[in-house]
């Protein structure tokens, strides 16, 4: 493995793990706040214990997210020094603001974890809300920095120099709003279905059904709403990408040849050598509509872009298909959940709970696939149209060994997290749904 590939693989590995920790850290506090609110309103101790159980998970992922995020910040400087030399002064503001949001989140989480029976009950609940809001702000700010790489703004590029720097314009670049919206909804969908899936699996095993059913309803509701909103966000994002990054859109759809009334491809195996796609199902005119809102519009293909500027089409196309396929499945599952809330017997049906249990990892797989589309689809650019990834990498040798070491570290960290979460789930006390103020059995 050469050093350039090793540097890219190490960054991909770090981002791939961190994005899961970040999604959970952004979203779980809102689940926690809802269950806490229900306990404060109706006094049912089941919701109090759900809140405490979830807060322990939030603490675990906050710690791991902080560590993996710190590693990423060092990697940007160590692996991509030429990029940080020029980009740092331009898009540094969202990172500095993200640090502020992180500190607020840490303080609020400390208040929440140690504030039981010490603070006013509503102030205590509010600290949990602050954890969620500040975590969400952190995620949006980081996405703003990534969006700048897809839509560079806030500077003039003249003769290889970066002049007239405007950090505010860089932070609020043309891509940030839609990218932040799409990522936020994806975080809620993936985390919602993952948490709901865990509780569904416990119900299938007939373990503490009352506790897990109430937790399932909260998490699944968040996940379902997000999954139903995601196609709308995806449509807006597709139109934006078609305008700003036509090469990325062409790679997503393996669209080799410019044409009007371009079909949308479902599945298929790209053949880069012969510039075609085999075994794909075509929906006539749909790509034109998704890209430009017109079934007859012309969609630029890779034939309009120099070969050296083509993204790796198979990787981007397959990742996009995985993301869309999983998103469609979760959307169908969301509609089934809405029906289940009306036909209450479904919520205890084994087949229904098994669907959610099997869907536990799917949202995060879709997030990873979507992130692959975003990052690999921008290649060969690290800053779209300005700086190539190959020109930004460190000249330091031996990056491959660093990649192997980080792979071992992240795998070990994941094993520890799974062990801790499994132990937390096993430690949940048996809950009985009794009126507020009555004696509780545990």
């Amino acid at each position: 493995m050469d050093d350039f590939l090793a540097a890219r693989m190490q960054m991909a590995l770090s981002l791939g793990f961190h994005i899961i920790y970040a999604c959970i850290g952004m979203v779980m506090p809102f689940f926690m706040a809802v269950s806490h609110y229900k306990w404060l309103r109706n006094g049912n101790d089941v919701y109090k214990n759900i809140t405490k159980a979830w807060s322990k998970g939030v603490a675990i992922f906050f710690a791991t997210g902080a560590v993996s995020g710190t590693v990423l910040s060092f990697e940007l400087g160590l692996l991509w020094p030429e990029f940080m030399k020029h980009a740092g002064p331009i898009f540094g503001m969202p990172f500095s603001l993200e640090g502020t949001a992180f500190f607020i989140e840490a303080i609020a989480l400390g208040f929440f974890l140690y504030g039981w029976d010490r603070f006013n009950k509503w102030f205590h609940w509010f600290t949990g809300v602050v954890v969620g809001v500040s975590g969400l702000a952190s995620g949006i700010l980081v996405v703003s920095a990534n969006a700048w790489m897809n839509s560079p703004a806030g500077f003039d590029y003249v003769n290889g120099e970066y002049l007239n720097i405007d950090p505010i314009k860089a932070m609020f670049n043309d891509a940030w709003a839609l990218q932040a919206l799409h990522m936020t909804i994806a975080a809620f969908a993936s985390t919602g279905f993952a948490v709901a899936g865990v509780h569904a699996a416990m119900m299938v095993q007939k373990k503490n059904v009352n506790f897990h059913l109430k937790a399932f309803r909260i998490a699944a509701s968040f996940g379902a709403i997000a999954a139903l909103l995601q196609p709308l966000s995806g449509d807006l994002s597709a139109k934006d990408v078609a305008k700003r990054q036509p090469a990325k859109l062409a790679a997503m759809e393996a669209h080799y040849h410019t044409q009007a009334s371009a079909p949308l491809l479902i599945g298929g195996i790209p053949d880069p050598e012969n510039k075609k796609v085999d075994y794909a199902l075509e929906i006539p005119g749909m790509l034109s509509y998704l890209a430009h809102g017109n079934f007859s519009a012309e969609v630029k293909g890779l034939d309009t872009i120099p070969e050296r500027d083509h993204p790796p089409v198979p990787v981007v196309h397959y990742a996009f298909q995985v993301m869309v396929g999983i998103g469609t499945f979760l959307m169908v599952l969301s509609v089934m959940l809405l029906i289940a809330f009306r036909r209450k017997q479904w919520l205890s049906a084994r087949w229904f709970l098994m669907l959610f249990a099997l869907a536990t990892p799917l949202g995060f797989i879709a997030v990873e696939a979507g992130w692959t589309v975003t990052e690999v689809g921008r290649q060969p650019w690290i800053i779209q149209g300005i700086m190539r990834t190959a020109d930004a990498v460190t000249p330091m040798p031996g990056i491959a060994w660093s990649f192997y070491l980080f792979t071992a570290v992240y795998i070990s960290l994941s094993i520890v997290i799974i062990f801790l979460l499994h132990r937390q789930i096993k430690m949940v006390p048996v809950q009985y749904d009794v009126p507020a103020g009555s004696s509780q059995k545990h």
Side-chain angles (χ1 to χ4, degrees), residues 112-360:
F112 186 84
L113 292 175
Y114 298 102
W116 291 98
D117 303 320
R118 291 182 175 88
F119 296 140
N120 171 277
K121 63 180 183 179
W122 286 107
F123 175 77
H124 184 224
W125 172 81
F126 177 72
T127 62
V129 174
V130 172
V131 173
V133 172
S134 54
L136 189 61
S138 293
I140 290 173
L141 287 165
V142 170
V143 169
S144 171
N146 177 263
W148 178 84
M149 297 163 68
N150 292 312
S151 180
F155 66 98
D156 293 325
Y157 187 64
V158 182
N159 297 325
E161 295 187 35
Y162 298 76
L163 307 175
N164 303 321
I165 293 173
D166 184 346
I168 299 296
K169 189 175 180 180
M171 184 167 70
F172 296 108
N173 58 79
D174 291 342
W176 85 270
L178 287 177
Q179 210 172 302
L181 175 66
H182 198 63
M183 185 65 230
T184 299
I185 295 175
F188 274 93
S190 58
T191 305
F193 277 97
V195 174
V198 170
H199 291 292
M202 299 305 292
M203 284 191 284
V204 168
Q205 298 175 44
K206 305 296 184 184
K207 294 181 178 179
N208 209 350
V209 172
N210 183 47
F211 174 94
H212 291 293
L213 176 60
K214 285 179 167 52
F216 170 84
R217 291 177 69 99
I218 294 172
S221 297
F222 272 100
I225 293 170
L228 292 172
L229 290 175
Q230 192 68 299
L232 302 177
S233 169
D235 179 63
L236 294 173
S237 296
K239 288 178 171 57
D240 184 58
V241 169
K243 180 174 65 176
R244 290 185 301 96
Q245 296 176 292
K248 179 183 287 187
L249 180 71
M252 288 159 58
E253 278 296 317
H255 187 60
Y256 287 105
H257 305 288
T258 301
Q259 67 179 103
S261 299
L264 180 72
L265 301 186
I266 299 178
I269 300 175
D271 182 354
E273 184 175 342
N274 296 305
K275 304 293 189 277
K276 65 175 185 174
V277 183
D278 298 318
Y279 313 115
L281 174 65
E282 296 187 0
I283 303 178
M286 185 57 70
L287 180 59
S288 293
Y289 179 79
L290 291 176
H292 302 292
N294 184 337
F295 286 102
S296 301
E298 181 180 85
V299 180
K300 291 182 179 179
L302 289 167
D303 55 356
T304 64
I305 298 160
E307 188 94 24
R308 66 193 295 264
D309 294 339
H310 286 192
V313 175
V315 175
V316 180
H317 178 71
Y318 293 140
F320 181 67
Q321 295 293 314
V322 168
M323 180 184 69
V324 172
I326 291 176
T328 302
F329 174 75
L330 295 183
M331 188 170 61
V332 171
L333 201 54
S334 300
V335 173
M336 293 176 65
L337 179 72
L338 298 179
I339 297 173
F341 283 153
R342 294 181 63 86
R343 303 176 61 175
K344 298 185 185 301
Q345 66 269 26
W346 280 19
L347 293 176
S348 59
R350 181 181 176 84
W351 67 267
F352 183 75
L353 296 173
M354 281 299 298
L355 280 176
F356 273 87
L358 293 172
T360 299

Side-chain angles (χ1 to χ4, degrees), residues 398-434:
I399 300 299
W401 293 106
S402 173
F403 167 66
Y404 300 143
L405 174 62
F406 273 80
T407 300
V409 169
Y410 275 111
I411 291 174
S412 301
L413 182 61
S414 297
I415 292 172
V416 171
I417 291 171
I418 292 170
F419 169 75
L420 291 174
L421 292 176
H422 182 264
R423 189 176 69 171
Q424 290 298 330
I425 293 170
K426 293 294 184 182
M427 290 174 62
V428 171
V430 177
Q431 301 292 323
Y432 298 87
D433 203 0
V434 297

Side-chain angles (χ1 to χ4, degrees), residues 10-11 14 70-80 406:
Q10 182 171 325
M11 202 71 194
S14 301
T70 302
V71 169
L72 276 171
S73 66
F74 282 112
E75 285 180 340
L76 281 171
L78 293 173
L79 298 178
W80 313 102
F406 273 80

Side-chain angles (χ1 to χ4, degrees), residues 35-44 47 121-122 125:
S35 62
H36 194 182
Y37 178 82
K38 285 179 172 287
W39 173 64
L40 291 175
R41 294 294 293 177
N42 63 29
N44 189 333
Y47 288 112
K121 63 180 183 179
W122 286 107
W125 172 81

